[in-house]
Amino acid sequence: RVRPASTPRVGFWPVTMSYDEARAMVTHYARLGYARHVQTTCATASRVLGNDPALSFWGVFGIVAEGSYGEAITKLEGQLSGGDKEMDLACMACITHAHKSARVVDWEAVGGYETRMASAEKSASNGALVEFALFHHLADGGDAAKAKDTARRVLAMDSSDSRAKTLLGWIELTGIGDDDPNKDDANDAATASADVVFSGNNSRRQRAAKALRVFDELLSSHDLGGDTQIDALVGKAHSLTALSRYDNAVDVMNELAARHPGFAPAASEKAKARLAACDFSGALENAEAGLHADNDDTECHRIVVFLTLTRAGDYALARKQITALTLALERREPRNVKLLVETSSQIARVAGGDVGVLQACGILLEKASALSQKESPVVLLEMAHQLRFLNKTTDALAVYRRCARFANESRDARETQTQRIANSASYGAALCFLRSGELQDCGSELEKLKENGFDQNGVPFLSALAQMQHQRNLAGADETANALEKALSLFFQNVNKLPPAVDFFLAADPDTICRCALLFTERDFTGEMIGVSNGASSSSGRDTKACADSENNTNSVDLDTTRSASPRNSRTLEALCARAPGLIMAQEFLMRARFASGSVDAAQRTAEVLLQLKENHAEAHVMLGRIHVAKGDLDAARRALDAATANDFAVRQKTAYLVVSAQCRAASGDTAGSLDELEAAMSRPGVRVAMKRGTSSVPVSTADRASIFVSYANALHSLHKADEAEMVLDEATSVFAGTTVEIFVMIARCEAAVKRGDDTKALRALASVTPTSPHYPAATMALAKVHLKSRNDPKAFIRCHVDLAEHKPGDVNSWLLLAEAYGTVGAPCESVTALEKAQALTPNDPEIARTLGAACVATHAFQKARNFYELAERLWSEVTVGPSRERSTTSTTSSTSPYGSSPYGKHTTSRAGMRMELAVLYKRLRRFDDAERVIFSLVGSEFGDIQEGSRDDDQAQRLQKNTPNLSSTEIERNVNALKLLCAVKTQRNDQAGYLRALRNVKVFQEMWVQKAQRGLGETSQKFVDSAKRALSKTCAELALRYASFHDLETSLKLYDEALMHDKNSLTIMSQVADLKLNVGDAAGAEIVLQQITRLDAEHETANLMLAELMFLRDDVDGAVFHFRELLTKNPKHTTALAQLAKLLHRAGRLEEIDFFFENAERALGGAQRARPNPGFAFAKGLVAKSNRNWDQALEYFNRCRQDPFFFVEATYEMTEIYLAPFSFMTKKFSTLDANTKKQRAIAAEQILREVSDQRIEPRHTILSAYCLMSLGEAKLLDQAFELCAQVISRDADNAPALLATAACFDLQKLGAKAKAQVKRIQKLPRRADEAEAFESAWLVLAEQAFDAGKVDVAQDLCQKCLRFNKSCSEAWEIMGMICERETTSIDAAECYENAWRHCKQNDPGVGFKLAFVLFKARSMVQCVDVCRAVLQKFPEYPKIKKDIMKKAQMAIKP
């Protein structure tokens, strides 16, 4: 329940606030140090609720807190004489505190009041004692310890006093008034921002746990007072926050806001809780709601500014918001020095070096300084920090010295506070000296800190940083870099325990962290920087994936190298950017660090994030250009440079721009232009001579400088200026002597020698580097490359890598490089051995375990590979620790809010890739359950949980709702995972699961297209078109699947959607036309076919379908004409030949196919060469099957079964010949003996098994059912029925399945059920792809109608068959029987003659009937000819000779 904004208010307080809420607000504001808020709250409450002594006292307390001691003493003495005994003790304590805090202390008055206070305390009531204790706690003066003693005394007298318990809980939580000698003040620690904070996080968490137990006990009681309940709820929320239980803290604040709507600070406290829980959208919503209710709510203003800077990176908007915050502070807390300093400090830490924001923070500090009665060391300290942030190190040093001097001279400050400020000043001064390169002075400050007993977490970090700075350009600095890494890891152990919001940035200075990353980059990745800068593909793939991994770790900075695979130069930067993606300075350093480490994909993602934050960020455009050059996409690189120039024309003079432009020119063949650009780059400041440390501009790194020298030399070589190139390399050798890039200049000289053909010189130079040299690894790698590329000597190549691994047996990278080398030369087993040694060195590295799994797959050690993949998954699960980044919320904030989500994805590229590989392995091992589990862990654990039982539309909506902010990489990963799930479902014969997975593929691809069109990811039109084509293919695949289920409406909708995304796809248009032809929509098919022929007049598939369309319109001659034209142009087109055979058979003109076969034989090189052609054999097999020449058909089909294209179809045709499935319910089939049926079924089953047991198409399942039926066993009939039921459950209108079900019922002697199934087929619309099933059903019904005497029905059914298939001999035979029954022998003879002709005289029963009606019609000669034809093919058919032939011959004799 949230009070509406229209609630009547007095000032900024609701009129309806209760006394309890007013008291709770006073306590809350006093605890925050908001003195004027305390005064205003008491005054307003007295005006609304009436005068109250307690409110009057706390109003005067606010005057004391504001520093007006004389006025406060006068008012307190007046209240003391008023006679309210409950407040007398607190009044005397407050008067004493005011006297002691005044500039001139009246010690006589102090002594008098202390005597009176001691006397009154002995007889005071519990209520008076609680007020007395609360004052001491909130005043936080020298007598703060009395608060705890007094509260305990109250509880000793009355154990149920809730106010005393609440106060004890707050004392336990805050430590104010706690005289415990183990409190945190004894363990101060430095932070990267040079502030000293409490380091005893463990003891603080212990106190928070104790306080939480107190608050829980209080809130569980039923007689809790209102103000006590509010105070306990706020205390409980703060305790939960200290224990990192942020979600629970949010729930408590929700409860507080619902129960006590008159508690004005509820909105800001709720926003703080959500901010600590990383629920940034919810925090913004609550803060804006608080500002809507009270436009001068300073806490809400501070939260909004923080979110603007850390989430949106909108500095212009932040400056406006800071102005509004400043005005609110002037109106609400005009004399609060502490609040001004605290506000300025919080904003400055996340200002990202923006001058405008830091100037606004400086205004706040100036106001604080003006309000101070004397120069305040606290204000001076913060001023010095902010000068350092502005890179004004000289001014900052001067202020740090003043701060230390005044802190030491301060007499009114406590010793602990004084020492803390002095240490912070020394620490900040050391950072300034370090930045300006004055390392000796920095060391002096560090020694001073050590003498002062400074904490061990701060000085080692700064000492290692100073030493690293000193050795940044010297070889052999590995130990120093490792020491800095270790110190930095220890340093952040305390920082990680702070709430992941404001407190984190108060403790961690982004500027110092960025400089640590810069030193790590120059130390660790100089080689990669040179390689990538020259357009080479980086070999540090593990680092690229590791950078993606660390994007997932948003709330902790993990520097433990045994747990994180991310490069150390970007590890802390990634944590900063994940917590504050709007921190542009950190994003810039992260982009540079990732590119330097070879993680070009990760660097590209960071550059895109920068451009989202700041569209005109020229450096980000230039970096994208460098990345595109490294990837070989020069067009994209030029577009990036054009964009950089459009946003900042001055960028053309930047060194990085000139280098990228030179690379683009060189790649396009403009070597002279490239040389001009490189000459301009060489003349830029900081290239030939390094920039001085402490400069405000971004210096050119040593690696970039070396890269420019090498590129310049290469350009001169390309223009045949070898002497000048050699001079440039000589200069580079001199400039970079003794640095970490010295070896790479040497390698460049060797590469130049190899280009000249002098590889011996290169080998000699590289081999001269001894193992004792720090450059030995780089030289050995270059030597190996020369052996492989120039000498083609794989043995020497491997020997170099073996030497490197043996030189550093404890170096993981050496073994990884050896494994990669073995893979390069095709030795996977040796590669596995090298990887196992690498894993033994770092057993907790999941990436190595994953690589081992892939290597074992290459050696076909699948079980071993599975073990390594599962180990990698366990290791990744252990690495993924820390609180959740941003919990789900029911916030109504718009999804387009810049604060709503992090630009980083939740899943990691490397872990997701490993899971994909593991799922593929499980699929290969046929462990389908495990494969699905792994796939669901990719796309189901966070993106909507793909549920097996949910409807497709509901599931699609859920996926779109739960995945609004996925990156293009994440969407592509999910698409690939779901496609793999489709393959798994296919092998499991789970069509429903396959369909669900494919629909989810479509949903993710739609999101991909939308993101591409909005320009949130890759913006090239080529990428958009590719995404649309992929979506179009998926829609077409879905449409094809729905068409197989006879869901024509859905299928056509999906085809329309597919064409909307790819309107000129001839393949999809052909599928639409085929579907419409299938269902008999000739007009619709013709429209689509005309569209195809307009785009491609020679489209073969369209011409074939046009021919079929003409056949449907009884234009057989036109259809044959189309085929004749096609086969004349390409007589070898065996697919068209097979299609023509089918059409001519249905037209009753199959004999015309011989002409086309002759042409095909001639085109194929004669009959002997045409015979083994699989397409030709398949077409001949179709003709033989139509002619009922079963043996010849089997021979032809068997011949083409070796071809992968015709294998499945030929197998199905052979199976149908053996089983005769479409004659199961006819009288002729019933005449076959059981043994013959069984033999045929066994042969069919053997052939069908060769295809696959896992085929999911209905035809395969139905043929398997017919095999079981042909065996004739009762239990097998039940299995056959189950197979048919499987098909019908997926497609209720599948005619072949319904016919097979009817046959199964017929074999079970269930004639009524069988007839019902056949009649069901009769009611369905005919489909061309199921034509034989429809014809068989019509013929069965025609036979049954004829037997029942329903001649008209039988005749209609036969004519229906003949309309679609004029070669249907069974239909002609039944028509003859009908005519014979109606005593029309001539008509019967004509029908029997057609049946005899179309069965190619291969059915003796038809011949017998024809001869009989001819005998009856007195056509004796024709009768004898038919009899002889029957006996010639079927001599064992003697009945026709005895009963008809002899009689006809006798009748012929004169």
Side-chain angles (χ1 to χ4, degrees):
R1 299 179 304 173
V2 179
R3 185 174 297 278
S6 59
T7 300
R9 310 178 78 85
V10 175
F12 54 90
W13 287 271
V15 172
T16 57
M17 72 173 174
S18 65
Y19 177 78
D20 293 333
E21 291 169 341
R23 283 299 307 268
M25 288 166 60
V26 168
T27 305
H28 178 76
Y29 288 135
R31 190 173 286 115
L32 290 176
Y34 286 9
R36 187 60 62 90
H37 278 69
V38 172
Q39 299 173 49
T40 312
T41 303
C42 292
T44 305
S46 297
R47 190 162 59 251
V48 174
L49 303 172
N51 290 328
D52 178 74
L55 290 175
S56 299
F57 166 75
W58 288 109
V60 179
F61 171 83
I63 298 175
V64 173
E66 211 169 40
S68 300
Y69 303 118
E71 178 186 357
I73 290 171
T74 302
K75 289 188 176 184
L76 287 169
E77 288 177 343
Q79 185 173 354
L80 188 60
S81 62
D84 186 354
K85 301 299 181 182
E86 288 290 319
M87 302 304 301
D88 283 353
L89 191 60
C91 286
M92 287 186 282
C94 190
I95 291 172
T96 304
H97 174 73
H99 275 297
K100 290 181 177 180
S101 301
R103 181 176 300 179
V104 178
V105 181
D106 186 352
W107 291 108
E108 182 179 354
V110 170
Y113 277 111
E114 285 182 344
T115 303
R116 289 179 61 186
M117 189 165 52
S119 176
E121 186 177 354
K122 296 177 182 179
S123 59
S125 64
N126 287 353
L129 289 173
V130 170
E131 296 288 354
F132 176 71
L134 182 60
F135 163 76
H136 281 301
H137 171 67
L138 296 178
D140 191 18
D143 297 327
K146 289 184 179 180
K148 188 172 185 179
D149 295 337
T150 306
R152 285 177 174 174
R153 177 183 167 189
V154 173
L155 288 176
M157 293 186 291
D158 182 5
S159 60
S160 63
D161 193 304
S162 59
R163 295 185 65 196
K165 287 183 180 180
T166 304
L167 179 56
L168 280 175
W170 275 101
I171 291 172
E172 192 67 52
L173 176 62
T174 61
I176 298 175
D178 191 351
D179 56 355
D180 186 356
N182 295 322
K183 60 185 293 188
D184 293 335
D185 295 55
N187 273 328
D188 292 338
T191 67
S193 58
D195 284 323
V196 176
V197 297
F198 293 132
S199 66
N201 286 291
N202 291 331
S203 59
R204 182 169 59 180
R205 291 176 68 87
Q206 292 173 2
R207 289 201 314 268
K210 293 179 181 178
L212 181 61
R213 288 194 293 270
V214 174
F215 293 132
D216 282 336
E217 180 183 352
L218 278 166
L219 293 170
S220 63
S221 62
H222 299 289
D223 56 346
L224 193 63
D227 62 325
T228 307
Q229 184 187 54
I230 296 173
D231 213 16
L233 284 170
V234 176
K236 181 178 180 179
H238 283 238
S239 300
L240 290 168
T241 300
L243 293 171
S244 302
R245 294 166 59 182
Y246 305 118
D247 292 349
N248 299 111
V250 172
D251 295 336
V252 172
M253 294 312 303
N254 288 334
E255 179 185 356
L256 173 62
R259 287 188 178 183
H260 301 282
F263 185 66
S268 60
E269 286 297 312
K270 189 176 177 181
K272 289 179 187 176
R274 285 191 163 181
L275 192 60
C278 294
D279 180 7
F280 303 112
S281 299
L284 179 64
E285 179 186 8
N286 290 131
E288 289 180 341
L291 290 176
H292 184 67
D294 175 16
N295 194 40
D296 287 335
D297 190 322
T298 55
E299 287 294 296
C300 291
H301 272 297
R302 290 166 68 183
I303 292 170
V304 169
V305 172
F306 176 81
L307 289 172
T308 300
L309 289 171
T310 59
R311 309 302 298 176
D314 191 341
Y315 295 126
L317 176 61
R319 288 193 288 270
K320 295 179 182 178
Q321 293 171 345
I322 295 172
T323 302
L325 171 59
T326 304
L327 295 175
L329 288 171
E330 289 177 355
R331 287 190 288 266
R332 292 293 167 81
E333 291 290 333
R335 299 181 60 187
N336 198 326
V337 176
K338 179 181 177 182
L339 180 59
L340 288 170
V341 175
E342 183 181 301
T343 302
S344 178
S345 173
Q346 290 180 0
I347 296 174
R349 295 307 180 275
V350 293
D354 184 78
V355 177
V357 174
L358 289 173
Q359 286 176 347
C361 294
I363 293 173
L364 293 175
L365 290 179
E366 290 173 1
K367 291 179 180 293
S369 180
L371 289 172
S372 300
Q373 296 178 355
K374 59 181 180 180
E375 200 163 22
S376 170
V378 176
V379 177
L380 287 174
L381 181 64
E382 184 58 32
M383 282 183 176
H385 292 342
Q386 295 186 18
L387 287 170
R388 180 168 56 84
F389 297 157
L390 287 168
N391 210 30
K392 297 179 179 179
T393 54
T394 303
D395 296 338
L397 277 170
V399 179
Y400 277 130
R401 291 193 179 106
R402 285 171 56 198
C403 176
R405 184 173 65 254
F406 279 106
N408 293 329
E409 293 175 357
S410 178
R411 291 177 296 180
D412 60 343
R414 288 177 294 170
E415 183 66 26
T416 303
Q417 180 71 13
T418 301
Q419 189 62 49
R420 184 182 297 136
I421 293 175
N423 286 342
S424 294
S426 296
Y427 197 92
L431 288 174
C432 289
F433 285 130
L434 184 62
R435 180 177 299 184
S436 60
E438 301 174 31
L439 301 179
Q440 185 175 358
D441 293 331
C442 177
S444 300
E445 294 294 335
L446 294 178
E447 289 298 327
K448 187 187 302 182
L449 286 170
K450 291 179 181 179
E451 292 174 1
N452 292 335
F454 199 52
D455 173 64
Q456 293 301 309
N457 288 335
V459 176
F461 158 60
L462 196 56
S463 301
L465 181 60
Q467 190 175 2
M468 182 74 175
Q469 180 89 357
H470 177 62
Q471 294 186 343
R472 59 191 298 179
N473 290 330
L474 298 178
D478 289 340
E479 295 182 0
T480 305
N482 294 335
L484 175 59
E485 180 184 10
K486 183 178 180 181
L488 199 59
S489 178
L490 294 173
F491 175 82
F492 271 102
Q493 285 181 359
N494 287 327
V495 176
N496 281 335
K497 297 175 183 178
L498 297 172
V502 179
D503 292 346
F504 173 83
F505 292 99
L506 286 175
D509 175 19
D511 182 75
T512 303
I513 301 305
C514 292
R515 294 187 180 275
C516 290
L518 180 61
L519 292 175
F520 281 134
T521 297
E522 294 199 0
R523 179 64 217 150
D524 296 343
F525 296 106
T526 304
E528 285 80 353
M529 291 173 73
I530 293 178
V532 177
S533 297
N534 285 288
S537 176
S538 173
S539 63
S540 56
R542 293 178 65 245
D543 296 333
T544 303
K545 296 173 181 176
C547 287
D549 293 344
S550 58
E551 293 174 357
N552 205 21
N553 189 12
T554 61
N555 289 330
S556 63
V557 185
D558 187 3
L559 295 178
D560 187 353
T561 55
T562 64
R563 294 176 57 85
S564 175
S566 180
R568 60 186 178 183
N569 71 325
S570 57
R571 201 173 304 153
T572 53
L573 293 174
E574 287 160 354
L576 286 174
C577 293
R579 292 190 180 192
L583 207 57
I584 292 180
M585 178 185 68
Q587 294 281 9
E588 292 171 344
F589 273 91
L590 178 60
M591 176 181 67
R592 299 169 195 148
R594 284 178 163 175
F595 184 79
S597 62
S599 307
V600 291
D601 291 333
Q604 181 175 359
R605 289 195 297 273
T606 309
E608 290 171 352
V609 169
L610 271 172
L611 292 176
Q612 292 178 33
L613 296 173
K614 187 178 179 182
E615 293 182 357
N616 60 348
H617 200 291
E619 184 186 353
H621 284 294
V622 174
M623 179 59 73
L624 284 176
R626 297 181 73 180
I627 292 168
H628 290 312
V629 167
K631 291 182 175 181
D633 191 351
L634 298 178
D635 292 335
R638 293 189 186 96
R639 288 195 298 270
L641 293 180
D642 292 341
T645 306
N647 287 293
D648 183 7
F649 195 76
V651 76
R652 294 171 61 90
Q653 302 303 318
K654 300 290 184 181
T655 305
Y657 180 94
L658 293 169
V659 172
V660 177
S661 178
Q663 290 171 340
C664 292
R665 287 176 179 269
S668 61
D670 185 7
T671 309
S674 173
L675 184 62
D676 293 339
E677 298 279 10
L678 288 170
E679 286 176 348
M682 291 286 291
S683 65
R684 296 299 304 157
V687 177
R688 291 185 183 272
V689 179
M691 288 184 179
K692 293 184 179 180
R693 298 169 187 169
T695 182
S696 58
S697 59
V698 178
V700 184
S701 68
T702 307
D704 283 340
R705 293 172 58 209
S707 174
I708 295 171
F709 272 93
V710 172
S711 298
Y712 186 39
N714 290 338
L716 290 171
H717 269 296
S718 300
L719 292 175
H720 308 291
K721 299 180 180 180
D723 294 338
E724 295 182 32
E726 197 68 25
M727 292 173 62
V728 170
L729 290 176
D730 289 340
E731 181 184 358
T733 302
S734 175
V735 169
F736 300 110
T739 68
T740 55
V741 300
E742 177 185 21
I743 183 62
F744 301 105
V745 176
M746 176 183 176
I747 292 173
R749 300 183 73 115
C750 293
E751 289 177 348
V754 170
K755 290 178 182 178
R756 295 194 304 267
D758 191 3
D759 54 359
T760 303
K761 181 180 179 181
L763 291 173
R764 189 183 306 114
L766 293 170
S768 65
V769 180
T770 62
T772 58
S773 171
H775 303 314
Y776 177 73
T780 305
M781 292 295 297
L783 184 64
K785 183 178 178 181
V786 174
H787 277 302
L788 185 66
K789 300 295 183 182
S790 300
R791 294 290 182 94
N792 194 22
D793 187 353
K795 291 184 178 180
F797 173 73
I798 293 296
R799 187 169 58 254
C800 289
H801 283 87
V802 171
D803 291 342
L804 182 59
E806 291 177 349
H807 170 63
K808 287 189 174 182
D811 183 15
V812 177
N813 289 327
S814 298
W815 292 105
L816 292 176
L817 290 171
L818 177 59
E820 185 178 351
Y822 277 125
T824 302
V825 300
C829 295
E830 290 80 359
S831 179
V832 170
T833 303
L835 287 170
E836 287 175 343
K837 291 183 178 179
Q839 196 212 16
L841 294 173
T842 55
N844 294 325
D845 190 339
E847 186 61 33
I848 294 180
R850 172 202 178 179
T851 308
L852 259 171
C856 289
V857 169
T859 60
H860 300 281
F862 298 121
Q863 187 62 36
K864 194 174 180 181
R866 180 179 67 86
N867 294 336
F868 280 120
Y869 277 126
E870 291 176 350
L871 172 62
E873 176 62 24
R874 287 197 303 273
L875 292 175
W876 254 304
S877 299
E878 294 172 2
V879 169
T880 307
V881 294
S884 60
R885 171 177 60 109
E886 185 167 346
R887 69 175 193 161
S888 60
T889 177
T890 56
S891 170
T892 57
T893 304
S894 171
S895 61
T896 60
S897 170
Y899 313 99
S901 62
S902 168
Y904 296 98
K906 285 190 174 184
H907 272 283
T908 67
T909 303
S910 185
R911 188 178 188 184
M914 184 277 299
R915 285 178 170 174
M916 283 289 292
E917 293 171 8
L918 179 57
V920 171
L921 178 60
Y922 278 138
K923 171 179 170 287
R924 192 169 182 177
L925 297 175
R926 305 188 68 80
R927 295 180 57 171
F928 300 124
D929 289 338
D930 291 330
E932 290 186 15
R933 172 179 53 79
V934 173
I935 294 171
F936 288 149
S937 70
L938 277 171
V939 295
S941 58
E942 293 176 347
F943 301 139
D945 285 341
I946 299 177
Q947 300 172 5
E948 294 297 322
S950 61
R951 291 174 58 246
D952 297 329
D953 294 338
D954 295 340
Q955 189 157 299
Q957 292 175 3
R958 184 171 61 256
L959 283 172
Q960 288 178 327
K961 179 181 178 181
N962 293 343
T963 57
N965 297 312
L966 293 183
S967 66
S968 298
T969 303
E970 290 171 325
I971 294 174
E972 183 180 10
R973 180 203 63 209
N974 290 346
V975 167
N976 293 332
L978 288 169
K979 286 182 177 179
L980 179 59
L981 180 60
C982 290
V984 173
K985 294 293 185 182
T986 299
Q987 289 197 1
R988 300 195 78 161
N989 200 16
D990 181 4
Q991 286 214 46
Y994 171 85
L995 189 62
R996 274 194 301 273
L998 194 59
R999 285 188 66 87
N1000 289 326
V1001 170
K1002 176 176 173 287
V1003 172
F1004 279 113
Q1005 286 179 332
E1006 287 171 348
M1007 294 166 57
W1008 198 356
V1009 170
Q1010 292 171 4
K1011 183 176 286 291
Q1013 290 175 333
R1014 289 197 305 265
L1016 297 180
E1018 297 85 341
T1019 55
S1020 66
Q1021 187 60 37
K1022 183 185 295 185
F1023 174 78
V1024 176
D1025 294 340
S1026 175
K1028 285 186 173 182
R1029 283 194 298 271
L1031 176 56
S1032 178
K1033 290 179 181 178
T1034 302
C1035 290
E1037 189 175 353
L1038 270 171
L1040 198 62
R1041 185 66 59 178
Y1042 276 104
S1044 69
F1045 297 155
H1046 297 85
D1047 189 350
L1048 304 181
E1049 183 180 357
T1050 304
S1051 179
L1052 289 173
K1053 285 181 180 178
L1054 286 166
Y1055 274 128
D1056 290 341
E1057 188 175 349
L1059 289 173
M1060 179 180 68
H1061 296 300
D1062 190 4
K1063 60 183 179 180
N1064 292 328
S1065 174
L1066 299 180
T1067 302
I1068 297 175
M1069 294 170 72
S1070 301
Q1071 292 177 2
V1072 175
D1074 184 58
L1075 175 62
K1076 293 189 175 184
L1077 276 177
N1078 229 345
V1079 299
D1081 183 7
E1086 184 176 15
I1087 294 173
V1088 178
L1089 290 172
Q1090 287 174 354
Q1091 294 174 354
I1092 297 175
T1093 52
R1094 277 198 298 269
L1095 295 172
D1096 182 7
E1098 304 297 326
H1099 195 274
E1100 293 182 352
T1101 306
N1103 284 320
L1104 291 175
M1105 284 189 283
L1106 279 172
E1108 188 171 354
L1109 179 65
M1110 292 180 177
F1111 172 78
L1112 286 176
R1113 294 176 172 173
D1114 291 330
D1115 186 3
V1116 180
D1117 293 334
V1120 173
F1121 174 77
H1122 270 282
F1123 277 104
R1124 190 185 299 274
E1125 279 195 335
L1126 179 62
L1127 290 172
T1128 300
K1129 295 178 182 177
N1130 184 13
K1132 300 178 183 180
H1133 197 323
T1134 55
T1135 304
L1137 193 61
Q1139 185 71 12
L1140 176 61
K1142 293 179 181 179
L1143 288 178
L1144 289 175
H1145 169 68
R1146 286 156 56 193
R1149 298 165 54 174
L1150 189 59
E1151 61 277 0
E1152 297 180 18
I1153 196 66
D1154 295 338
F1155 168 77
F1156 298 98
F1157 275 125
E1158 291 173 1
N1159 289 341
E1161 284 183 355
R1162 284 194 296 271
L1164 290 169
Q1168 294 299 323
R1169 291 190 177 182
R1171 182 179 177 83
N1173 185 279
F1176 184 81
F1178 185 78
K1180 294 286 282 184
L1182 288 177
V1183 173
K1185 181 184 176 184
S1186 300
N1187 290 334
R1188 306 203 179 188
N1189 192 343
W1190 311 122
D1191 293 337
Q1192 190 178 26
L1194 288 172
E1195 180 186 351
Y1196 281 123
F1197 286 135
N1198 191 56
R1199 192 182 301 163
C1200 62
R1201 287 174 66 219
Q1202 304 302 320
D1203 183 78
F1205 183 78
F1206 292 100
F1207 167 65
V1208 175
E1209 193 66 26
T1211 301
Y1212 288 159
E1213 293 291 345
M1214 293 178 68
T1215 305
E1216 289 181 356
I1217 292 174
Y1218 279 117
L1219 297 176
F1222 301 111
S1223 60
F1224 251 64
M1225 298 180 64
T1226 60
K1227 295 178 181 178
K1228 293 181 180 179
F1229 186 80
S1230 61
T1231 59
L1232 292 175
D1233 62 279
N1235 189 40
T1236 302
K1237 294 179 183 178
K1238 188 173 183 179
Q1239 290 178 353
R1240 291 182 178 183
I1242 293 173
E1245 191 175 19
Q1246 290 176 347
I1247 296 173
L1248 196 60
R1249 193 180 296 118
E1250 294 179 9
V1251 177
S1252 174
D1253 292 336
Q1254 300 297 325
R1255 304 283 297 193
I1256 64 172
E1257 62 263 28
R1259 189 177 183 185
H1260 187 280
T1261 306
I1262 293 166
L1263 289 174
S1264 300
Y1266 276 117
C1267 288
L1268 296 173
M1269 283 187 265
S1270 298
L1271 294 174
E1273 299 181 15
K1275 60 180 181 180
L1276 297 180
L1277 291 178
D1278 294 336
Q1279 296 179 17
F1281 182 80
E1282 290 177 2
L1283 290 175
C1284 297
Q1286 289 178 11
V1287 178
I1288 295 173
S1289 65
R1290 296 189 295 262
D1291 181 9
D1293 295 335
N1294 189 289
L1298 292 172
L1299 185 65
T1301 304
C1304 193
F1305 281 135
D1306 188 61
L1307 292 173
Q1308 292 176 332
K1309 308 300 181 183
L1310 299 173
K1313 291 185 177 181
K1315 187 174 181 180
Q1317 295 295 323
V1318 178
K1319 283 191 173 182
R1320 185 176 169 187
I1321 298 173
Q1322 184 187 5
K1323 296 176 183 178
L1324 296 175
R1326 179 185 178 275
R1327 288 174 58 92
D1329 57 343
E1330 298 174 351
E1332 291 184 342
F1334 279 96
E1335 290 174 10
S1336 179
W1338 295 335
L1339 291 173
V1340 169
L1341 289 174
E1343 280 189 353
Q1344 293 175 355
F1346 178 78
D1347 293 340
K1350 299 177 181 179
V1351 177
D1352 294 339
V1353 175
Q1355 188 172 2
D1356 291 341
L1357 289 168
C1358 290
Q1359 288 176 351
K1360 192 174 184 180
C1361 285
L1362 293 172
R1363 184 166 68 250
F1364 293 104
N1365 184 6
K1366 294 180 173 57
S1367 295
C1368 185
S1369 61
E1370 291 82 358
W1372 285 116
E1373 183 180 357
I1374 296 174
M1375 287 289 291
M1377 293 166 60
I1378 294 171
C1379 293
E1380 188 178 0
R1381 177 174 290 185
E1382 293 179 350
T1383 65
T1384 54
S1385 300
I1386 296 176
D1387 293 339
E1390 183 180 353
C1391 292
Y1392 284 137
E1393 186 176 356
N1394 285 328
W1396 181 244
R1397 185 177 72 254
H1398 290 305
C1399 74
K1400 302 304 177 182
Q1401 300 182 359
N1402 286 323
D1403 189 341
V1406 175
F1408 180 88
K1409 292 177 182 178
L1410 175 59
F1412 181 74
V1413 295
L1414 289 172
F1415 181 80
K1416 288 174 62 177
R1418 311 304 297 173
S1419 299
M1420 302 301 177
V1421 176
Q1422 293 92 332
C1423 176
V1424 172
D1425 291 340
V1426 171
C1427 292
R1428 287 177 176 172
V1430 171
L1431 291 171
Q1432 183 178 359
K1433 287 190 176 182
F1434 306 96
E1436 71 281 358
Y1437 201 77
K1439 187 177 179 181
I1440 192 172
K1441 182 176 182 181
K1442 177 181 177 183
D1443 295 344
I1444 300 176
M1445 182 177 174
K1446 289 185 177 180
K1447 293 180 181 180
Q1449 289 174 339
M1450 293 296 296
I1452 293 174
K1453 292 180 180 181

